[in-house]
Amino acid sequence: MAAAARRAPQHAFAAARARAAVQVHSMTAPADVGEPTELEGAKRRVREAVKAALRQLSAEQMAEESRAIAARVLASRAFREAPHAVIYVHCAKLREVDTSEVLRQAMEGRKRLYVPRVQDKDANMHFLHLDSLDALEAVPPFGIREPRPTYEDGSERQDVLLVDEPLELVVMPGLAFDRAGRRLGRGGGYYDKFIAAARTRAEQRGWPPPLLVALAFRAQLVEAVPVEPHDALVDAIVTADEIIACSPGAAEALAAWGAAPGSSGGGGNAPS
C-alpha cells in the first residue's frame, strides 16, 4: 500500500508531461509573422528592448527575483519527482536568472543532472552529466560555467542524448517570453536544436517528451514574441510572481509538491 502511494505522484507527473506534450504539434508560429526579413527585424527589436530593460535591473532586484523563482521551482511537483533533469548554469554577465540554488538542491537530492557545454558555433551544445559542482569551469568569453568534458578518472562524461534513460525536465533560459510559451533566445539556436533532438529521441523510445520550463525576470515577459515554426515553445514560464502554464498539463506538473492533482500551478503555490 505504501509503495503504491509513493508511485502515484510519479504516475501523475508522467501523465501531466504527456498532456503537456500536446503542445509540441498543436502550437506553431503565428500566421502573421511576415517575410523572413520582417521577422528578423521584429526579433531584433524585441531583443534590444529586453536587453535594455535587463540593464536597468539592479543586482539586488535580480537576486530577489532569482530567489523567488528558485523557490517556485524547488516547490514544484516537476522538480521533486523528476529523476533526470537538464538545468542551465546561469551567466551573470548575460543577466540570467540565477540557478545556483536549484542546481545545489538537485545535486543534494541525487537527481541525475545534466548541464550544457557548448561544442561549436553551429548551434551544437551537449548536455553532460554533472557529478559535482566542482566540475564546473568558467569558459570565455562570458565566463559561463560548463562541465569539464571528462570525469576525474579521465572517462568521458555521459551525454543526456546518448544514455538509455528518459529525460523528464528541462530548465532553460531565454531572452524574451510571452504568455503563450513563445520563447526568444539570443540568436544562436542552441536550445532549439537540443529540444528538437530530445523530443525526437523521446518519441522513438516511446517516452513522454521532457517538460520545458523557462525561468524569467519580470522584464523578460513581453506581449508577443515573434517566432518561426522551428522555434521551440516552452510548457511553462516561472517568474517571481507566478508560474505561467503554457501547455496542457503544465499547471498540474508544476503545482506545489503534495498538492492534489489538478490543482493550479499559479501564484499561490510557492513558499513565501
Side-chain angles (χ1 to χ4, degrees), residues 131-164:
D131 57 338
S132 168
L133 294 176
D134 293 333
L136 296 172
E137 57 185 5
V139 176
F142 297 108
I144 299 174
R145 291 178 300 152
E146 297 183 350
R148 288 187 285 273
T150 59
Y151 295 108
E152 284 192 1
D153 65 3
S155 61
E156 289 189 1
R157 288 188 183 277
Q158 290 185 325
D159 186 314
V160 71
L161 293 180
L162 299 179
V163 296
D164 190 23

Short mmCIF file of all heavy atoms in Angstrom, two decimals, residues 131-164:
data_model
loop_
_atom_site.label_atom_id
_atom_site.label_comp_id
_atom_site.label_asym_id
_atom_site.label_seq_id
_atom_site.Cartn_x
_atom_site.Cartn_y
_atom_site.Cartn_z
N ASP A 131 28.44 15.41 -11.88
CA ASP A 131 28.51 14.65 -10.64
C ASP A 131 28.96 15.49 -9.46
O ASP A 131 28.88 15.06 -8.31
CB ASP A 131 29.44 13.44 -10.81
CG ASP A 131 30.84 13.85 -11.25
OD1 ASP A 131 31.01 14.95 -11.82
OD2 ASP A 131 31.78 13.05 -11.01
N SER A 132 29.44 16.70 -9.73
CA SER A 132 29.89 17.59 -8.67
C SER A 132 29.91 19.02 -9.19
O SER A 132 30.31 19.26 -10.34
CB SER A 132 31.29 17.20 -8.19
OG SER A 132 31.85 18.20 -7.36
N LEU A 133 29.49 19.96 -8.36
CA LEU A 133 29.55 21.36 -8.77
C LEU A 133 30.99 21.82 -8.97
O LEU A 133 31.25 22.79 -9.68
CB LEU A 133 28.86 22.24 -7.72
CG LEU A 133 27.34 22.03 -7.59
CD1 LEU A 133 26.78 22.87 -6.45
CD2 LEU A 133 26.63 22.36 -8.89
N ASP A 134 31.93 21.11 -8.35
CA ASP A 134 33.35 21.44 -8.53
C ASP A 134 33.85 21.12 -9.94
O ASP A 134 34.94 21.55 -10.33
CB ASP A 134 34.21 20.68 -7.52
CG ASP A 134 33.95 21.15 -6.09
OD1 ASP A 134 33.54 22.32 -5.91
OD2 ASP A 134 34.15 20.34 -5.16
N ALA A 135 33.06 20.37 -10.70
CA ALA A 135 33.46 20.02 -12.07
C ALA A 135 33.16 21.13 -13.07
O ALA A 135 33.50 21.01 -14.25
CB ALA A 135 32.76 18.73 -12.50
N LEU A 136 32.53 22.22 -12.61
CA LEU A 136 32.23 23.34 -13.49
C LEU A 136 33.42 24.27 -13.58
O LEU A 136 34.09 24.55 -12.58
CB LEU A 136 31.01 24.11 -12.97
CG LEU A 136 29.68 23.35 -12.94
CD1 LEU A 136 28.63 24.18 -12.22
CD2 LEU A 136 29.23 23.00 -14.35
N GLU A 137 33.68 24.77 -14.80
CA GLU A 137 34.77 25.72 -15.01
C GLU A 137 34.31 26.86 -15.90
O GLU A 137 33.49 26.65 -16.81
CB GLU A 137 35.98 25.02 -15.63
CG GLU A 137 35.69 24.33 -16.95
CD GLU A 137 36.87 23.54 -17.48
OE1 GLU A 137 37.89 23.45 -16.78
OE2 GLU A 137 36.77 23.02 -18.62
N ALA A 138 34.79 28.06 -15.63
CA ALA A 138 34.39 29.23 -16.41
C ALA A 138 35.02 29.17 -17.80
O ALA A 138 36.20 28.87 -17.95
CB ALA A 138 34.81 30.50 -15.69
N VAL A 139 34.19 29.46 -18.81
CA VAL A 139 34.64 29.40 -20.20
C VAL A 139 34.45 30.78 -20.83
O VAL A 139 33.39 31.39 -20.68
CB VAL A 139 33.83 28.35 -20.98
CG1 VAL A 139 34.22 28.34 -22.45
CG2 VAL A 139 34.04 26.96 -20.37
N PRO A 140 35.46 31.31 -21.53
CA PRO A 140 35.31 32.59 -22.19
C PRO A 140 34.35 32.49 -23.37
O PRO A 140 34.09 31.37 -23.85
CB PRO A 140 36.74 32.91 -22.66
CG PRO A 140 37.43 31.58 -22.75
CD PRO A 140 36.81 30.74 -21.68
N PRO A 141 33.77 33.60 -23.87
CA PRO A 141 34.07 34.98 -23.47
C PRO A 141 33.21 35.50 -22.33
O PRO A 141 33.50 36.55 -21.76
CB PRO A 141 33.78 35.76 -24.76
CG PRO A 141 32.64 35.01 -25.37
CD PRO A 141 32.89 33.56 -25.07
N PHE A 142 32.11 34.80 -21.99
CA PHE A 142 31.19 35.33 -20.99
C PHE A 142 31.43 34.77 -19.59
O PHE A 142 30.78 35.20 -18.65
CB PHE A 142 29.74 35.04 -21.41
CG PHE A 142 29.34 35.71 -22.69
CD1 PHE A 142 29.16 34.97 -23.85
CD2 PHE A 142 29.15 37.08 -22.74
CE1 PHE A 142 28.79 35.58 -25.03
CE2 PHE A 142 28.78 37.71 -23.91
CZ PHE A 142 28.61 36.96 -25.08
N GLY A 143 32.33 33.82 -19.48
CA GLY A 143 32.58 33.23 -18.18
C GLY A 143 31.51 32.27 -17.74
O GLY A 143 31.37 31.98 -16.54
N ILE A 144 30.73 31.74 -18.70
CA ILE A 144 29.71 30.76 -18.35
C ILE A 144 30.39 29.49 -17.84
O ILE A 144 31.34 29.01 -18.44
CB ILE A 144 28.84 30.42 -19.59
CG1 ILE A 144 28.13 31.68 -20.09
CG2 ILE A 144 27.82 29.34 -19.25
CD1 ILE A 144 27.36 31.47 -21.37
N ARG A 145 29.90 28.97 -16.74
CA ARG A 145 30.49 27.76 -16.18
C ARG A 145 29.94 26.53 -16.90
O ARG A 145 28.73 26.36 -16.99
CB ARG A 145 30.23 27.68 -14.68
CG ARG A 145 30.99 28.74 -13.87
CD ARG A 145 30.65 28.64 -12.41
NE ARG A 145 29.23 28.86 -12.18
CZ ARG A 145 28.54 28.34 -11.17
NH1 ARG A 145 29.15 27.56 -10.29
NH2 ARG A 145 27.25 28.60 -11.04
N GLU A 146 30.84 25.71 -17.38
CA GLU A 146 30.47 24.49 -18.10
C GLU A 146 31.19 23.30 -17.48
O GLU A 146 32.25 23.45 -16.86
CB GLU A 146 30.87 24.61 -19.58
CG GLU A 146 30.15 25.72 -20.32
CD GLU A 146 30.51 25.75 -21.80
OE1 GLU A 146 31.45 25.03 -22.21
OE2 GLU A 146 29.84 26.49 -22.55
N PRO A 147 30.63 22.11 -17.64
CA PRO A 147 31.30 20.93 -17.07
C PRO A 147 32.54 20.56 -17.87
O PRO A 147 32.55 20.69 -19.10
CB PRO A 147 30.23 19.84 -17.20
CG PRO A 147 29.42 20.26 -18.38
CD PRO A 147 29.38 21.76 -18.33
N ARG A 148 33.57 20.14 -17.17
CA ARG A 148 34.73 19.60 -17.89
C ARG A 148 34.29 18.37 -18.66
O ARG A 148 33.40 17.63 -18.21
CB ARG A 148 35.85 19.26 -16.89
CG ARG A 148 36.53 20.50 -16.31
CD ARG A 148 37.74 20.13 -15.46
NE ARG A 148 37.33 19.58 -14.17
CZ ARG A 148 37.07 20.33 -13.09
NH1 ARG A 148 37.17 21.65 -13.16
NH2 ARG A 148 36.72 19.77 -11.96
N PRO A 149 34.86 18.12 -19.83
CA PRO A 149 34.37 17.03 -20.69
C PRO A 149 34.60 15.63 -20.13
O PRO A 149 33.99 14.67 -20.61
CB PRO A 149 35.14 17.23 -22.00
CG PRO A 149 36.35 18.01 -21.62
CD PRO A 149 35.94 18.88 -20.47
N THR A 150 35.46 15.49 -19.15
CA THR A 150 35.73 14.17 -18.58
C THR A 150 35.55 14.17 -17.07
O THR A 150 35.63 15.20 -16.41
CB THR A 150 37.18 13.71 -18.90
OG1 THR A 150 38.10 14.68 -18.35
CG2 THR A 150 37.40 13.62 -20.41
N TYR A 151 35.28 12.96 -16.54
CA TYR A 151 35.24 12.78 -15.09
C TYR A 151 36.66 12.79 -14.54
O TYR A 151 37.65 12.83 -15.30
CB TYR A 151 34.56 11.45 -14.75
CG TYR A 151 33.11 11.35 -15.14
CD1 TYR A 151 32.72 10.54 -16.21
CD2 TYR A 151 32.12 12.04 -14.44
CE1 TYR A 151 31.37 10.42 -16.57
CE2 TYR A 151 30.78 11.92 -14.80
CZ TYR A 151 30.42 11.12 -15.86
OH TYR A 151 29.09 11.01 -16.21
N GLU A 152 36.78 12.74 -13.23
CA GLU A 152 38.11 12.76 -12.60
C GLU A 152 38.98 11.58 -13.02
O GLU A 152 40.20 11.69 -13.06
CB GLU A 152 37.97 12.79 -11.07
CG GLU A 152 37.56 14.15 -10.52
CD GLU A 152 37.70 14.23 -9.02
OE1 GLU A 152 38.14 13.21 -8.41
OE2 GLU A 152 37.40 15.28 -8.45
N ASP A 153 38.33 10.45 -13.36
CA ASP A 153 39.11 9.28 -13.76
C ASP A 153 39.52 9.32 -15.24
O ASP A 153 40.14 8.38 -15.74
CB ASP A 153 38.35 7.98 -13.46
CG ASP A 153 37.07 7.85 -14.29
OD1 ASP A 153 36.79 8.73 -15.14
OD2 ASP A 153 36.34 6.86 -14.08
N GLY A 154 39.16 10.40 -15.93
CA GLY A 154 39.55 10.55 -17.32
C GLY A 154 38.54 10.05 -18.33
O GLY A 154 38.69 10.27 -19.54
N SER A 155 37.49 9.36 -17.89
CA SER A 155 36.47 8.87 -18.81
C SER A 155 35.55 10.01 -19.24
O SER A 155 35.39 11.00 -18.51
CB SER A 155 35.66 7.75 -18.16
OG SER A 155 34.98 8.23 -17.00
N GLU A 156 34.94 9.87 -20.40
CA GLU A 156 34.07 10.91 -20.93
C GLU A 156 32.78 11.01 -20.12
O GLU A 156 32.21 10.01 -19.71
CB GLU A 156 33.73 10.63 -22.40
CG GLU A 156 34.89 10.84 -23.35
CD GLU A 156 34.44 10.75 -24.80
OE1 GLU A 156 33.23 10.55 -25.05
OE2 GLU A 156 35.31 10.89 -25.68
N ARG A 157 32.34 12.24 -19.92
CA ARG A 157 31.07 12.44 -19.23
C ARG A 157 29.91 11.93 -20.10
O ARG A 157 29.93 12.06 -21.32
CB ARG A 157 30.84 13.93 -18.92
CG ARG A 157 31.74 14.44 -17.83
CD ARG A 157 31.38 15.85 -17.39
NE ARG A 157 32.34 16.25 -16.39
CZ ARG A 157 32.27 15.94 -15.11
NH1 ARG A 157 31.22 15.25 -14.67
NH2 ARG A 157 33.22 16.30 -14.26
N GLN A 158 28.90 11.40 -19.45
CA GLN A 158 27.73 10.91 -20.17
C GLN A 158 26.93 12.08 -20.76
O GLN A 158 26.76 13.12 -20.12
CB GLN A 158 26.83 10.09 -19.26
CG GLN A 158 27.44 8.76 -18.86
CD GLN A 158 26.47 7.91 -18.05
OE1 GLN A 158 25.70 8.42 -17.26
NE2 GLN A 158 26.53 6.62 -18.25
N ASP A 159 26.45 11.88 -21.99
CA ASP A 159 25.64 12.86 -22.70
C ASP A 159 24.18 12.45 -22.53
O ASP A 159 23.83 11.28 -22.74
CB ASP A 159 26.04 12.87 -24.18
CG ASP A 159 25.35 13.96 -24.97
OD1 ASP A 159 24.12 14.14 -24.82
OD2 ASP A 159 26.03 14.64 -25.77
N VAL A 160 23.30 13.39 -22.17
CA VAL A 160 21.91 13.05 -21.90
C VAL A 160 21.21 12.44 -23.12
O VAL A 160 20.27 11.66 -22.97
CB VAL A 160 21.13 14.29 -21.40
CG1 VAL A 160 20.91 15.30 -22.52
CG2 VAL A 160 19.80 13.89 -20.76
N LEU A 161 21.67 12.76 -24.33
CA LEU A 161 21.04 12.22 -25.52
C LEU A 161 21.59 10.85 -25.92
O LEU A 161 21.10 10.24 -26.88
CB LEU A 161 21.20 13.19 -26.70
CG LEU A 161 20.44 14.52 -26.58
CD1 LEU A 161 20.69 15.38 -27.80
CD2 LEU A 161 18.94 14.29 -26.38
N LEU A 162 22.58 10.38 -25.18
CA LEU A 162 23.20 9.10 -25.52
C LEU A 162 22.97 8.02 -24.48
O LEU A 162 23.34 6.86 -24.69
CB LEU A 162 24.71 9.28 -25.75
CG LEU A 162 25.10 10.23 -26.89
CD1 LEU A 162 26.63 10.33 -27.00
CD2 LEU A 162 24.51 9.76 -28.22
N VAL A 163 22.38 8.38 -23.34
CA VAL A 163 22.12 7.39 -22.30
C VAL A 163 20.73 6.79 -22.51
O VAL A 163 19.84 7.42 -23.09
CB VAL A 163 22.23 8.00 -20.89
CG1 VAL A 163 23.65 8.49 -20.63
CG2 VAL A 163 21.24 9.15 -20.71
N ASP A 164 20.55 5.57 -22.04
CA ASP A 164 19.27 4.88 -22.21
C ASP A 164 18.35 5.18 -21.03
O ASP A 164 17.93 4.28 -20.28
CB ASP A 164 19.50 3.37 -22.35
CG ASP A 164 18.24 2.64 -22.79
OD1 ASP A 164 17.36 3.29 -23.38
OD2 ASP A 164 18.13 1.43 -22.51
#
